[in-house]
PDB file of all heavy atoms in Angstrom:
ATOM      1  N   PRO D   8       5.478 -25.339 -21.260  1.00  0.00           N
ATOM      2  CA  PRO D   8       4.945 -26.701 -21.134  1.00  0.00           C
ATOM      3  C   PRO D   8       4.930 -27.441 -22.476  1.00  0.00           C
ATOM      4  O   PRO D   8       5.372 -28.600 -22.542  1.00  0.00           O
ATOM      5  CB  PRO D   8       3.513 -26.462 -20.619  1.00  0.00           C
ATOM      6  CG  PRO D   8       3.612 -25.195 -19.829  1.00  0.00           C
ATOM      7  CD  PRO D   8       4.613 -24.348 -20.573  1.00  0.00           C
ATOM      8  N   GLU D  33      10.421 -41.293 -31.306  1.00  0.00           N
ATOM      9  CA  GLU D  33       9.266 -41.921 -31.939  1.00  0.00           C
ATOM     10  C   GLU D  33       8.023 -41.029 -31.944  1.00  0.00           C
ATOM     11  O   GLU D  33       7.296 -40.951 -32.929  1.00  0.00           O
ATOM     12  CB  GLU D  33       8.975 -43.236 -31.192  1.00  0.00           C
ATOM     13  CG  GLU D  33       7.795 -44.015 -31.695  1.00  0.00           C
ATOM     14  CD  GLU D  33       8.021 -44.648 -33.069  1.00  0.00           C
ATOM     15  OE1 GLU D  33       9.207 -44.848 -33.432  1.00  0.00           O
ATOM     16  OE2 GLU D  33       7.039 -44.907 -33.768  1.00  0.00           O
ATOM     17  N   GLY D  62      14.242  -9.604 -25.174  1.00  0.00           N
ATOM     18  CA  GLY D  62      14.355  -8.179 -25.429  1.00  0.00           C
ATOM     19  C   GLY D  62      13.261  -7.317 -24.848  1.00  0.00           C
ATOM     20  O   GLY D  62      13.508  -6.184 -24.418  1.00  0.00           O
ATOM     21  N   LEU D  71       4.057 -12.081 -28.707  1.00  0.00           N
ATOM     22  CA  LEU D  71       3.053 -13.100 -29.042  1.00  0.00           C
ATOM     23  C   LEU D  71       3.181 -13.432 -30.521  1.00  0.00           C
ATOM     24  O   LEU D  71       3.241 -12.546 -31.364  1.00  0.00           O
ATOM     25  CB  LEU D  71       1.639 -12.561 -28.777  1.00  0.00           C
ATOM     26  CG  LEU D  71       1.297 -12.302 -27.319  1.00  0.00           C
ATOM     27  CD1 LEU D  71      -0.115 -11.732 -27.207  1.00  0.00           C
ATOM     28  CD2 LEU D  71       1.415 -13.590 -26.492  1.00  0.00           C
ATOM     29  N   PRO D  82      13.439 -34.130 -45.327  1.00  0.00           N
ATOM     30  CA  PRO D  82      12.835 -34.844 -44.194  1.00  0.00           C
ATOM     31  C   PRO D  82      13.909 -35.388 -43.253  1.00  0.00           C
ATOM     32  O   PRO D  82      15.007 -35.755 -43.675  1.00  0.00           O
ATOM     33  CB  PRO D  82      12.095 -36.013 -44.861  1.00  0.00           C
ATOM     34  CG  PRO D  82      12.111 -35.774 -46.334  1.00  0.00           C
ATOM     35  CD  PRO D  82      13.230 -34.824 -46.628  1.00  0.00           C
ATOM     36  N   ALA D 117      14.834 -27.365 -42.727  1.00  0.00           N
ATOM     37  CA  ALA D 117      13.650 -26.496 -42.736  1.00  0.00           C
ATOM     38  C   ALA D 117      14.088 -25.055 -42.500  1.00  0.00           C
ATOM     39  O   ALA D 117      15.118 -24.795 -41.870  1.00  0.00           O
ATOM     40  CB  ALA D 117      12.647 -26.923 -41.651  1.00  0.00           C
ATOM     41  N   ARG D 120      10.191 -18.381 -41.222  1.00  0.00           N
ATOM     42  CA  ARG D 120      10.170 -16.945 -40.946  1.00  0.00           C
ATOM     43  C   ARG D 120       9.035 -16.713 -39.948  1.00  0.00           C
ATOM     44  O   ARG D 120       7.887 -17.072 -40.206  1.00  0.00           O
ATOM     45  CB  ARG D 120       9.929 -16.156 -42.224  1.00  0.00           C
ATOM     46  CG  ARG D 120       9.818 -14.656 -41.978  1.00  0.00           C
ATOM     47  CD  ARG D 120      10.259 -13.855 -43.157  1.00  0.00           C
ATOM     48  NE  ARG D 120      11.667 -14.083 -43.436  1.00  0.00           N
ATOM     49  CZ  ARG D 120      12.240 -13.966 -44.650  1.00  0.00           C
ATOM     50  NH1 ARG D 120      11.520 -13.595 -45.662  1.00  0.00           N
ATOM     51  NH2 ARG D 120      13.539 -14.201 -44.811  1.00  0.00           N
ATOM     52  N   ARG D 131      -2.622  -7.824 -23.662  1.00  0.00           N
ATOM     53  CA  ARG D 131      -2.813  -9.086 -24.359  1.00  0.00           C
ATOM     54  C   ARG D 131      -4.078  -9.781 -23.952  1.00  0.00           C
ATOM     55  O   ARG D 131      -4.678 -10.484 -24.707  1.00  0.00           O
ATOM     56  CB  ARG D 131      -1.604 -10.018 -24.166  1.00  0.00           C
ATOM     57  CG  ARG D 131      -1.477 -10.679 -22.793  1.00  0.00           C
ATOM     58  CD  ARG D 131      -1.039 -12.127 -22.900  1.00  0.00           C
ATOM     59  NE  ARG D 131      -2.106 -12.959 -22.406  1.00  0.00           N
ATOM     60  CZ  ARG D 131      -2.151 -13.428 -21.184  1.00  0.00           C
ATOM     61  NH1 ARG D 131      -1.199 -13.164 -20.343  1.00  0.00           N
ATOM     62  NH2 ARG D 131      -3.168 -14.189 -20.789  1.00  0.00           N
TER      63      ARG D 131
END
Side-chain angles (χ1 to χ4, degrees):
Chain D
E33 179 70 22
L71 293 178
R120 177 152 296 153
R131 74 139 245 263

